[in-house]
Amino acid sequence: MGPTPEWEVSEWLGTPPAETLAGLRGRVVVIEAFQMLCPGCVSHGLPLARKVHSTLADEVVVIGLHTVFEHHEAMTPVSLKAFMHEYRVTFPVGVDTPHGHGMPMTMQRWGLQGTPTLIVVDRGGRLRAQAFGTVDELALGGALGSLLAEETVEWSAGRSRGMTGRRAG
Amino acid sequence: MGPTPEWEVSEWLGTPPAETLAGLRGRVVVIEAFQMLCPGCVSHGLPLARKVHSTLADEVVVIGLHTVFEHHEAMTPVSLKAFMHEYRVTFPVGVDTPHGHGMPMTMQRWGLQGTPTLIVVDRGGRLRAQAFGTVDELALGGALGSLLAEETVEWSAGRSRGMTGRRAG
Amino acid sequence: MGPTPEWEVSEWLGTPPAETLAGLRGRVVVIEAFQMLCPGCVSHGLPLARKVHSTLADEVVVIGLHTVFEHHEAMTPVSLKAFMHEYRVTFPVGVDTPHGHGMPMTMQRWGLQGTPTLIVVDRGGRLRAQAFGTVDELALGGALGSLLAEETVEWSAGRSRGMTGRRAG
Amino acid sequence: MGPTPEWEVSEWLGTPPAETLAGLRGRVVVIEAFQMLCPGCVSHGLPLARKVHSTLADEVVVIGLHTVFEHHEAMTPVSLKAFMHEYRVTFPVGVDTPHGHGMPMTMQRWGLQGTPTLIVVDRGGRLRAQAFGTVDELALGGALGSLLAEETVEWSAGRSRGMTGRRAG
C-alpha cells in the first residue's frame, strides 16, 4: 500500500496545516469532503468533523475539502466563506481545484463517490478509511484510537475496523 | 387592528399562491422568513414550515420569504434556487426586494428582528403572530387550529396563544 | 355520538381532576394511556402528554391512565409511584382497574389497542380522537386548538383533523 | 496500579461472560452500572452500552450491573427482567448484591457516584475509566480503540483519553 495521492487545492480558507499531505507524515489526518449545499454534509458530516476537531484536536489533524461537483455557480468561494462563518467551521478548508463543471481534481484522483465522504490517513500517509455517507461516531472513535496507537515508522497490517458508511448506488 | 402590510417581492421561485397578501383573504397564511445560510433556519425554521405545509396543506397557505440582510453576495437567487432544490423546499419562496446592503423592503416594513421568523396571518388578513427564533410545534398547531376555526368575516378579539419565539437582544 | 364511557380506576396517584369523566364536562381532556415499562410510552407518549400539560395547562386537562396488560408483577402501583417520581410526571395518573392478568377494565371498555394511546375528549364529553402509537405534535396541537374553539353546548360535526397514530396488527 | 476489585453479584440475568472479573483478563471490558428507573440510564447509558455491544462485540465484553441504591422495592429482579425484555437488553446483567437499603456491595467497593456510570477495564484487569453521567461517544470509541491496541502483558502507562462524564455534586 503506497501513500495517499496528494490533494490539489486552488485556495485555502483558514490556515492550511501543511502545503501538502506528505507534509503531515507522522500525524493521523481526518479529511471531510463536503459541499456547502449538501444537506447530509450540514446535518451529519461537518458536525462529526467538528467534533473530531474539538475532541481530538491535539492528536488528529482535521481538514475540510470543498469538493463541488454540482451547482457550481451556487457554491463559489465567496459563498463558502459566508457558510464557514455562519456554521462556525474553525478547521481549515481547501477548495478542491475545479475541473470545468464536472468533478474537481482531488475528488477524481481519490475516487470519491459523493459528499459527505470522510477520509482517514494514518501516520504513515496511507489511506486507511474512506466512508461515503453516514459514519458511526463510536466506530470512528475506535478506528482513530487504534491508529493513534500505531507507531509511525513500523507498519502493521492492522485490521481496519469497519466504518458504516452509506454506499452510493 | 388593520390588515398586514403587503409584501414586496422582487422574484418568485415556485408558483406564488397569489400576487398580493390581500389576494389570500379568507385563508390562514404562514410565512417563514429565512436566509439560506442561517443555521437556525435550516435546522428549525424551514423544517417546521415544511411540516405545516405537509400536514395542513389543504387548510393553511405556506410561503417562504428570503429576507437577506447579511452576506448578500453569498445568497443570490441563483444560490437560493440550488438550495431549494437540495433541501426539497416545495412551497413557493419570494425574494424580499433588496435595499442596498441593509434589510430588504418587506423585512423593514414588517419590523422583523432576524431569521428565522414565523408569521401567521388570519383569514381576515390580520397579523396574529410573529415569532423570531424557535417556535414550539404544539403551540403553533394550537394557534393554527384556533385560527382555522374562526369565521372570516366576523372578527373576534380572541386571545392569541403565545408562541415561544426566542427574542433577539 | 354519545358520551365517552366512564373510566374505572382502582387508585389515583396525584390529585384526580374529578371523580368521573362526566365531571369534566365543559373541558377538553387529554388522556395518555401508558405502561411504565413500555419504551414508546417513555420516549414518546409521556413526553408529549407532559408537553400538553405544560403548554396548555390552563385550557386542557391532562390525565395519565396506567393500563397494565403485561408484566403485571413488574408494574405495580409501588413501582409506578417510583417511576412517576423519577420521570417527573406531574399530572395525575389513575391505575386502570386490573382484571386478572388480562387487559384492565377501562382499556377493555374503550377498546384500546395497546400503549401508548392518546385519547381526546371534547367539551361535550364525546370521544374525538384515540391514537395508538406515535402522535404528531403539530397535528395534535391543531386538533386541540380546534376543539378549544368549539362551544360546549352547541355541537358541530366538525371534521376531525387526523392524528398520525401507528396502528397495531 | 492494581487490578480492579471483584464485583459482587447476587444474581445474573442472561449468561455471565465469566464468574469473576479476573476471569476476563485479556479482554477489554465495558461495565454499565445502571438502575432501571433512572431516566439518564434509559435515555443515554444503556443505549450507549448497547451500541458498544453491537459495534465492538467481537472485541469488547459488555456487561450491565444493576446497582439499586434507591426505590429498592420498585426495582426488584422481577421488574428488572421485564425491563430487559421490553428494552431489548441483550448483554448479561448482574444484580449488584444489596446491602439493606443503602448502596449495594459492588457500588460501594468501586466508589461509584451514581447512575449511569460507565466503567472500562483493560486487558490487564486494571480500571482505566469510570465516567458518571453522559459519556461522549467519539471519546469512548477513541479510548476503546486505544485500549484494544494495547498488549495484555506489557503494561504501558498510556495517557488516558478523557471521557466527558458529568460529575455529581
Side-chain angles (χ1 to χ4, degrees):
Chain A
M1 182 161 48
T4 313
E6 275 301 330
W7 58 51
E8 192 168 331
V9 166
S10 58
E11 184 176 344
W12 283 96
L13 284 72
T15 307
E19 281 301 299
T20 61
L21 185 51
L24 292 170
R25 202 61 57 85
R27 312 289 306 273
V28 173
V29 183
V30 165
I31 301 170
E32 181 71 37
F34 74 102
Q35 294 184 104
M36 58 172 279
L37 293 185
C38 143
C41 300
V42 167
S43 67
H44 174 74
L46 288 170
L48 183 60
R50 193 183 294 120
K51 185 138 184 213
V52 174
H53 188 55
S54 63
T55 308
L56 301 169
D58 295 343
E59 308 177 85
V60 175
V61 177
V62 177
I63 299 171
L65 185 67
H66 199 225
T67 53
V68 180
F69 64 91
E70 56 189 346
H71 306 300
H72 294 77
E73 70 295 349
M75 296 190 272
T76 60
V78 164
S79 290
L80 176 61
K81 203 171 171 184
F83 173 86
M84 283 177 62
H85 176 79
E86 288 304 313
Y87 280 89
R88 315 268 188 270
V89 177
T90 56
F91 48 79
V93 172
V95 176
D96 193 3
T97 303
H99 182 74
H101 270 58
M103 281 180 25
M105 299 306 289
T106 316
M107 194 177 181
Q108 285 185 41
R109 193 176 289 168
W110 291 354
L112 305 187
Q113 298 170 267
T115 56
T117 292
L118 188 141
I119 295 144
V120 181
V121 177
D122 70 13
R123 296 190 194 277
R126 284 161 294 232
L127 180 71
R128 291 295 282 275
Q130 186 177 302
F132 171 50
T134 302
V135 171
D136 180 75
E137 200 173 314
L138 186 72
L140 175 62
L144 293 176
S146 166
L147 290 181
L148 287 167
E150 289 181 358
E151 295 294 325
T152 304
V153 193
E154 180 187 9
W155 165 255
S156 71
R159 163 178 39 145
S160 92
R161 217 173 319 284
M163 284 183 296
T164 64
R166 190 162 35 82
R167 300 280 149 193
Chain B
M1 184 161 47
T4 312
E6 275 301 331
W7 59 51
E8 192 168 333
V9 165
S10 57
E11 185 176 342
W12 283 96
L13 284 71
T15 307
E19 281 301 300
T20 60
L21 185 51
L24 293 170
R25 203 61 56 86
R27 313 289 305 275
V28 173
V29 183
V30 164
I31 301 169
E32 182 71 37
F34 73 102
Q35 294 184 104
M36 58 173 278
L37 293 184
C38 143
C41 300
V42 167
S43 66
H44 174 73
L46 289 169
L48 183 61
R50 192 183 294 118
K51 185 137 185 214
V52 175
H53 188 55
S54 63
T55 309
L56 302 168
D58 294 344
E59 308 176 85
V60 174
V61 178
V62 177
I63 299 171
L65 184 67
H66 199 225
T67 52
V68 180
F69 64 89
E70 55 188 348
H71 307 298
H72 294 79
E73 70 294 349
M75 297 190 271
T76 60
V78 164
S79 290
L80 177 61
K81 204 170 170 183
F83 173 86
M84 283 177 62
H85 176 78
E86 289 303 314
Y87 279 88
R88 315 269 188 269
V89 177
T90 56
F91 47 81
V93 171
V95 175
D96 193 1
T97 303
H99 181 74
H101 270 59
M103 282 180 26
M105 298 307 288
T106 316
M107 194 176 182
Q108 284 184 41
R109 193 176 289 168
W110 289 354
L112 305 186
Q113 298 169 267
T115 56
T117 293
L118 188 142
I119 295 144
V120 181
V121 176
D122 71 14
R123 296 190 195 278
R126 284 161 294 233
L127 180 71
R128 291 296 281 275
Q130 185 179 302
F132 171 50
T134 302
V135 172
D136 180 76
E137 200 172 316
L138 186 74
L140 175 62
L144 294 175
S146 166
L147 291 180
L148 287 166
E150 288 181 1
E151 295 294 325
T152 304
V153 192
E154 180 187 7
W155 165 254
S156 72
R159 161 177 42 143
S160 91
R161 218 173 317 284
M163 284 183 297
T164 63
R166 189 162 35 84
R167 300 282 150 192
Chain C
M1 182 162 43
T4 312
E6 274 301 330
W7 58 51
E8 194 169 330
V9 166
S10 58
E11 184 176 344
W12 284 96
L13 283 72
T15 306
E19 281 302 298
T20 61
L21 185 51
L24 292 170
R25 201 62 56 85
R27 311 290 306 275
V28 173
V29 183
V30 165
I31 301 170
E32 182 71 37
F34 74 103
Q35 295 183 103
M36 58 172 279
L37 292 185
C38 142
C41 300
V42 167
S43 66
H44 174 74
L46 288 170
L48 183 60
R50 192 184 295 120
K51 185 136 184 215
V52 175
H53 188 55
S54 63
T55 308
L56 302 168
D58 295 342
E59 308 176 85
V60 174
V61 177
V62 177
I63 298 170
L65 185 67
H66 199 225
T67 53
V68 180
F69 64 90
E70 55 187 349
H71 307 298
H72 294 78
E73 69 295 349
M75 295 189 273
T76 60
V78 163
S79 289
L80 176 60
K81 204 171 170 184
F83 174 86
M84 283 176 62
H85 176 79
E86 289 303 314
Y87 279 88
R88 315 264 187 275
V89 177
T90 55
F91 47 80
V93 171
V95 175
D96 193 2
T97 303
H99 181 73
H101 269 59
M103 280 180 24
M105 298 306 289
T106 316
M107 193 177 181
Q108 284 185 43
R109 193 176 289 168
W110 290 354
L112 305 187
Q113 298 170 265
T115 55
T117 293
L118 187 141
I119 295 144
V120 180
V121 177
D122 71 13
R123 296 190 194 278
R126 285 161 295 234
L127 180 71
R128 292 296 282 275
Q130 185 179 301
F132 171 51
T134 302
V135 172
D136 180 76
E137 199 172 315
L138 186 73
L140 175 61
L144 294 176
S146 166
L147 291 181
L148 286 167
E150 287 181 359
E151 295 294 325
T152 305
V153 192
E154 181 188 7
W155 167 255
S156 72
R159 165 179 36 145
S160 91
R161 219 172 318 283
M163 284 183 296
T164 63
R166 190 162 34 84
R167 299 283 147 193
Chain D
M1 184 160 46
T4 312
E6 274 301 332
W7 57 52
E8 192 168 331
V9 166
S10 57
E11 186 177 342
W12 283 96
L13 284 72
T15 306
E19 282 301 301
T20 59
L21 185 51
L24 292 169
R25 201 61 58 84
R27 312 288 306 275
V28 173
V29 183
V30 164
I31 301 170
E32 181 71 37
F34 74 101
Q35 295 183 104
M36 58 172 279
L37 293 184
C38 143
C41 299
V42 167
S43 66
H44 174 74
L46 289 169
L48 183 61
R50 193 184 293 118
K51 185 138 186 214
V52 175
H53 188 55
S54 63
T55 308
L56 302 168
D58 294 344
E59 310 177 83
V60 174
V61 178
V62 177
I63 299 170
L65 184 68
H66 199 225
T67 53
V68 180
F69 64 90
E70 55 187 348
H71 307 298
H72 294 78
E73 69 296 347
M75 296 191 273
T76 61
V78 164
S79 290
L80 177 61
K81 203 171 171 183
F83 173 86
M84 282 176 63
H85 176 79
E86 289 303 314
Y87 279 89
R88 315 266 188 271
V89 177
T90 55
F91 48 80
V93 172
V95 175
D96 193 3
T97 303
H99 181 74
H101 269 58
M103 282 179 27
M105 298 306 287
T106 316
M107 194 177 181
Q108 284 185 41
R109 194 175 288 168
W110 290 354
L112 305 187
Q113 298 169 264
T115 56
T117 293
L118 188 142
I119 294 144
V120 181
V121 177
D122 70 14
R123 296 190 194 278
R126 285 161 293 231
L127 180 72
R128 291 296 281 275
Q130 184 179 303
F132 171 50
T134 302
V135 172
D136 180 77
E137 199 172 315
L138 185 74
L140 176 62
L144 293 176
S146 166
L147 291 181
L148 286 166
E150 288 181 359
E151 296 295 325
T152 304
V153 191
E154 180 187 8
W155 166 256
S156 72
R159 161 181 38 148
S160 92
R161 216 173 319 286
M163 283 184 298
T164 64
R166 189 160 38 83
R167 301 280 149 192

